[in-house]
Amino acid sequence: MNLLSLTDCRFCSVVSKTNKEDPIGTAGTCDHWLIMEIPQPWSQDLFQENPTIKPLIGLFQELIVKDGVNLRPMLMAPDREYSYPGFTRVLYYYRPAKLFSKFEKQEFVVPDEQVTALVTAILKQLMQQPNDLSKFQEYQQQSNHIRELMVCTHAQVDLACGRFGTPIYRRLRKEYAPISNGKLRVWQTTHFGGHQFAPTLVDLPQGCLWGHLEPEVLDLLVNKHGSVSDLRQFYRGWAGLTKFEQIAEREIWMQLGWTWLNYLKAGKVVAIQEGEQEENADWAEVRIDYAVPDGSISGVYEARVEVSSEVMSALNSAKQMELKPVKQYHVSHLVKIQ
């Protein structure tokens, strides 16, 4: 494939944003994240070509394709301030329970030559196979107090991510990370889906995804002070839920405000349009169970999500852009039943 020059390119995210495509429900569902430092430049076929990652491809495929594990592998660029020459950082996040509010993290900083062995051990543990993860204890970091903002700047997969992700990354890295007293790190990452929503970001350990970001909403996103409704149009959803559950969850968040993000929660699709894959269904009924962390309050929301309209959008940036209709949804019914 010939890479387009910026002057030739029509950006998918500009089309998506101009046509008011709602990003909600596009976060993808994740139970595990595995994020490794790999220096840039990142080619389009990085996962197949990089000598550190190549030996791991078989294990990733076994887990994701054969065993159906919701694992999302990502790569991040080493940072002059955070990273150490000769060492590689590996972040592993996992869903701690059925009801949860944020992912648990294990972080390792290992000598470069041991990265493949470490990741193999993590994946084998996940597969409940014999592994030597205990050998890497000396490299484990105490970093559970650190929030990681991951911004996709992977231009080789889609130019929109480089063009729009990079300025957002730079602003967050320059203005917000340094004043956080070591509680916030900001990283550039490879693609994690949804480049039509560039600039797009993952907020970990929470697991919320954001898209179509604008500089003026970063303050609200980082500091969580102010009206949640101002973030509504940028919210792609929470990775602990599936598509229709994510759409319902946003409405609950809009009603309850910031405290909702700390509630333990789990979702379930209880009914869906017959004969349709979830991706394409016109309606679904979902249930969201929730509890506060100390267990003193718990309850259930029930919601019906329905198609409200269609917009034309582009899934990839290109010189000759192919537009496709994308269903837009709204919550037609939401009730707290206990």
Side-chain angles (χ1 to χ4, degrees), residues 16 102 115 120 145 160 213 233 272 278 305 321 328 331:
S16 170
K102 60 185 181 186
V115 181
T120 300
H145 61 291
L213 283 171
Q233 72 198 74
I272 195 161
E278 180 169 356
V305 178
M321 190 163 274
Q328 304 292 281
V331 176

Side-chain angles (χ1 to χ4, degrees), residues 194-205:
H195 26 251
Q196 70 269 39
F197 304 115
T200 183
L201 174 156
V202 184
D203 187 348
L204 288 165

Side-chain angles (χ1 to χ4, degrees), residues 23 60 183 204 224-225 246 297 309 322 328:
F60 280 126
K183 291 181 180 166
L204 288 165
K224 300 181 179 175
H225 295 311
Q246 288 173 11
I297 301 170
S309 62
E322 188 184 342
Q328 304 292 281

Side-chain angles (χ1 to χ4, degrees), residues 207-224:
C208 293
L209 272 76
W210 303 90
H212 288 162
L213 283 171
E214 294 170 357
E216 55 270 22
V217 299
L218 296 182
D219 223 46
L220 187 55
L221 191 150
V222 174
N223 297 318
K224 300 181 179 175

Side-chain angles (χ1 to χ4, degrees), residues 25-244:
T26 67
T29 310
C30 247
D31 294 323
H32 309 269
W33 309 75
L34 192 68
I35 308 167
M36 287 181 277
E37 282 183 321
I38 296 284
Q40 293 168 309
W42 295 324
S43 69
Q44 193 176 10
D45 301 316
L46 179 59
F47 281 86
Q48 287 78 33
E49 292 169 357
N50 184 280
T52 305
I53 307 164
K54 208 173 172 181
L56 300 166
I57 293 288
L59 275 174
F60 280 126
Q61 285 176 334
E62 191 175 337
L63 262 173
I64 298 166
V65 181
K66 189 177 155 211
D67 298 348
V69 174
N70 278 328
L71 170 78
R72 185 170 289 180
M74 276 165 54
L75 307 175
M76 59 187 183
D79 181 279
R80 273 191 309 212
E81 190 182 324
Y82 310 146
S83 305
Y84 305 95
F87 287 80
T88 296
R89 186 184 314 271
V90 175
L91 303 176
Y92 169 53
Y93 289 90
Y94 57 93
R95 180 188 191 121
K98 185 175 186 291
L99 280 167
F100 77 114
S101 67
K102 60 185 181 186
F103 293 84
E104 295 282 330
K105 173 166 72 166
Q106 289 181 330
E107 176 175 346
F108 301 85
V109 176
V110 296
D112 290 344
E113 62 276 10
Q114 294 192 44
V115 181
T116 306
L118 167 65
V119 174
T120 300
I122 292 171
L123 296 178
K124 290 205 162 172
Q125 185 194 46
L126 186 49
M127 296 157 97
Q128 299 178 321
Q129 289 181 7
N131 63 77
D132 52 5
L133 193 54
S134 57
K135 282 187 192 170
F136 296 93
Q137 263 178 330
E138 64 179 297
Y139 301 114
Q140 196 161 350
Q141 310 295 304
Q142 297 309 312
S143 66
N144 286 341
H145 61 291
I146 300 178
R147 179 181 177 191
E148 319 278 3
L149 294 183
M150 309 274 177
V151 183
C152 179
T153 60
H154 198 176
Q156 286 78 4
V157 169
D158 196 284
L159 282 169
C161 296
R163 171 70 179 80
F164 301 110
T166 305
I168 291 288
Y169 158 74
R170 286 182 180 149
R171 185 152 181 170
L172 286 166
R173 180 67 186 85
K174 191 176 164 189
E175 294 181 21
Y176 293 91
I179 59 168
S180 71
N181 295 322
K183 291 181 180 166
L184 174 70
R185 292 186 295 209
V186 180
W187 303 91
Q188 300 185 71
T189 73
T190 53
H191 184 56
F192 47 80
H195 26 251
Q196 70 269 39
F197 304 115
T200 183
L201 174 156
V202 184
D203 187 348
L204 288 165
Q206 196 95 60
C208 293
L209 272 76
W210 303 90
H212 288 162
L213 283 171
E214 294 170 357
E216 55 270 22
V217 299
L218 296 182
D219 223 46
L220 187 55
L221 191 150
V222 174
N223 297 318
K224 300 181 179 175
H225 295 311
S227 168
V228 295
S229 61
D230 291 342
L231 283 172
R232 180 190 175 92
Q233 72 198 74
F234 307 103
Y235 190 38
R236 293 183 60 188
W238 182 54
L241 299 171
T242 61
K243 172 181 166 174
F244 286 108

Side-chain angles (χ1 to χ4, degrees), residues 281-294:
D282 284 348
W283 63 267
E285 289 175 0
V286 303
R287 168 190 170 114
I288 309 279
D289 290 82
Y290 69 90
V292 298
D294 69 4

